Amino acid sequence: MSGTGAALRGHHAALQEGLSELRARRDELNGRIQAEEAERGRLQARIATLSRRLSDTSESLAGLRSTRAHIDRTIAEMDLASGEVL
């Protein structure tokens, strides 16, 4: 029976070692997961900032294009009027 007890102790020790390795691996993965979650948060914040900048730039471009169109119409009207005067 002592042989069986020794074998059981050996299996128990192997199981404990396996559990210890799995726990260490889990801890390592938890660290990597936390790092990835932090990076994800930083990227989401950056996306939000860039989205606001894109929106602001789009609005600015719309205003600038509208002003340019107005100036183009004014130039065309003045060219037409200048041609009629001559």
Side-chain angles (χ1 to χ4, degrees), residues 29-59:
L29 287 172
N30 279 338
R32 290 173 57 189
I33 288 169
Q34 288 175 351
E36 290 287 329
E37 287 173 343
E39 177 66 7
R40 183 174 184 243
R42 285 189 293 274
L43 290 172
Q44 285 178 328
R46 188 166 179 213
I47 287 170
T49 299
L50 291 173
S51 292
R52 283 191 298 275
R53 285 178 54 192
L54 178 61
S55 176
D56 293 346
T57 301
S58 295
E59 288 178 25

Side-chain angles (χ1 to χ4, degrees), residues 5-21:
L8 286 175
R9 283 191 294 277
H11 289 307
H12 180 72
L15 285 173
Q16 290 300 318
E17 183 179 333
L19 281 172
S20 178
E21 289 174 9

